[in-house]
Amino acid sequence: MNTNKIKHIGVFTSGGDSPGMNAALYAIVKAAEVNDIKVSGFRKGYEGLIDNDVVPLKSHELQKFVHQGGTVLKTARSKRFMELDGRKKAFQTLRINKIDALIAIGGDGTFKGLLAFSEICDIPFINIPGTIDNDISGTDFTLGFDSAVNTAIENIDKIRDTAESHNRVFIVEVMGRDSGYIAIHSGLMVGADAILIPESGKDLMYLLDKVKNYDSEDAFLVVVSEGDEIGAELVSSKIKEVNPNVDLRITKLGHVQRGGNPSALDRMLGIRLGVATVKTLLREKENVMVGILNNQLHLTPFKDVVKQHQVNDELYELLELFGN
Ligand code: F6P
């Protein structure tokens, strides 16, 4: 018998989708079912909360999507939820459906939404950090980051083949918004000649110094994060200023990094964090993000979460050693 106060959980995915979200959904529902808790899914992120677009979730139906990228609940970036009126409608939806607790899977925009929502809504919230950007503090890795990096590597490896054949300079732009994590990880793993990230102020100088002497006898790979203050096009013209003879191409990997089957690490992260949300609610904790730090489950209060995940000294050292 369910003796807990929580009998019915609502769940939604929000912001940019990330591989592993379906695994997390499956784990949430599975963990809830064994505790006699019903789960309803709100479709299209906060939009579904505003519009009462709700579906019952069963673990046996979600099981077959564990391996699939994207999110079966759909997602959105909701402008309406940014307004108080939208949040009030969402609150009504929770009341109509008799939801006792709400679990969100999403990135920093989702957190900001939850923080604002907690001011008018008194049920417990839990968040799973789901974004390919790895830009959230309180967890070593966000859900989807590992898969996105694997996708980036797979594609940059292919670019290297053609770059080597033509002795070309390639600038490959990767996603990450304001965070250089995808660029650092993918750049290091493809043996890039230079890696440019928003967090570093010196990387362009290093790159220009290096490419000045590039003799077009090999490929020269530059991985640049989309959030870097200078951007792929400007990097290209700066390179041509210091070495006018280079044969240069730009490739932007774009949304391909968000799709595809989740990696083993992301499936596992989804399962661990999904189960952790339900356990955390049963321990009567609220308004926390569940993450993994040093391979241990870690809870971070919402107010401490909305901070950029810093690039640590060790990563900077690797960047200087290999990517500068
Ligand atoms: O936050 C995930 C992310 O993929 C970022 O890396 C990127 O800047 C942004 O979303 C793209 O958003 P959209 O899909 O809305 O264009």
Side-chain angles (χ1 to χ4, degrees):
M1 206 181 74
N2 181 354
T3 52
N4 303 303
K5 281 185 262 170
I6 295 172
K7 315 258 186 261
H8 190 186
I9 292 175
V11 62
F12 66 102
T13 50
S14 168
D17 56 289
S18 63
M21 282 183 165
N22 290 329
L25 287 172
Y26 168 59
I28 290 167
V29 178
K30 183 87 180 165
E33 281 170 356
V34 298
N35 286 290
D36 260 336
I37 300 170
K38 197 166 99 173
V39 185
S40 291
F42 293 93
R43 298 170 76 247
K44 303 182 212 145
Y46 287 116
E47 291 288 295
L49 280 171
I50 295 171
D51 296 332
N52 195 13
D53 185 355
V54 61
V55 285
L57 296 178
K58 300 281 172 234
S59 67
H60 70 270
E61 287 166 359
L62 291 169
Q63 196 169 357
K64 57 177 171 287
F65 297 109
V66 167
H67 73 290
Q68 220 174 76
T71 160
V72 291
L73 273 186
K74 312 268 180 184
T75 186
R77 302 191 193 280
S78 173
K79 288 209 171 67
R80 287 191 294 161
F81 196 77
M82 289 177 189
E83 307 296 327
L84 182 60
D85 192 46
R87 295 197 289 277
K88 282 186 176 163
K89 285 192 179 123
F91 185 35
Q92 269 311 102
T93 300
L94 294 179
R95 283 197 157 154
I96 291 166
N97 290 283
K98 298 194 168 58
I99 299 288
D100 305 313
L102 189 65
I103 299 173
I105 310 175
D108 61 343
T110 307
F111 276 115
K112 286 177 189 146
L114 282 182
L115 265 180
F117 203 21
S118 65
E119 283 165 20
I120 61 159
C121 185
D122 53 1
I123 65 167
F125 296 152
I126 308 279
N127 193 296
I128 290 181
T131 165
I132 63 166
D133 298 338
N134 205 32
D135 59 350
I136 291 172
S137 60
T139 190
D140 287 332
F141 298 108
T142 55
L143 190 60
F145 168 72
D146 183 64
S147 309
V149 170
N150 278 299
T151 302
I153 294 169
E154 196 183 316
N155 285 285
I156 303 172
D157 286 347
K158 288 177 181 162
I159 288 170
R160 180 181 281 286
D161 289 345
T162 175
E164 293 289 357
S165 306
H166 285 264
N167 289 342
R168 275 178 173 158
V169 174
F170 258 90
I171 299 174
V172 185
E173 185 187 280
V174 295
M175 274 189 166
R177 207 181 283 279
D178 301 326
S179 157
Y181 265 83
I182 296 180
I184 298 177
H185 282 71
S186 58
L188 288 174
M189 284 181 260
V190 299
D193 295 281
I195 302 168
L196 304 189
I197 59 166
E199 293 89 342
S200 166
K202 291 190 253 167
D203 43 16
L204 180 67
M205 196 177 72
Y206 288 129
L207 159 66
L208 296 179
D209 213 38
K210 202 167 176 179
V211 80
K212 202 162 59 187
N213 304 315
Y214 163 66
D215 57 6
S216 303
E217 284 304 314
D218 253 326
F220 190 99
L221 284 184
V222 182
V223 174
V224 54
S225 173
E226 65 174 356
D228 191 71
E229 60 286 357
I230 182 153
E233 280 79 13
L234 207 50
V235 173
S236 154
S237 31
K238 296 263 179 208
I239 291 177
K240 284 182 181 157
E241 274 172 28
V242 296
N243 194 340
N245 299 322
V246 296
D247 186 10
L248 186 150
R249 296 288 186 277
I250 297 175
T251 300
K252 298 189 180 189
L253 292 186
H255 287 80
V256 73
Q257 293 158 98
R258 285 236 297 259
N261 295 350
S263 65
L265 279 181
D266 276 329
R267 293 181 202 196
M268 192 60 189
L269 191 58
I271 298 280
R272 287 177 79 183
L273 295 182
V275 171
T277 55
V278 177
K279 278 196 193 162
T280 304
L281 284 171
L282 292 176
R283 288 187 198 127
E284 298 189 15
K285 298 244 183 321
E286 59 179 43
N287 298 358
V288 290
M289 181 194 89
V290 292
I292 304 281
L293 274 182
N294 302 323
N295 208 21
Q296 299 287 324
L297 193 66
H298 186 84
L299 302 182
T300 310
F302 281 173
K303 63 178 171 38
D304 298 332
V305 169
V306 193
K307 282 182 202 148
Q308 179 98 358
H309 191 178
Q310 300 299 321
V311 173
N312 66 27
D313 291 346
E314 190 207 341
L315 277 183
Y316 272 123
E317 274 175 34
L318 293 178
L319 200 58
E320 284 191 17
L321 187 61
F322 295 103
N324 283 319

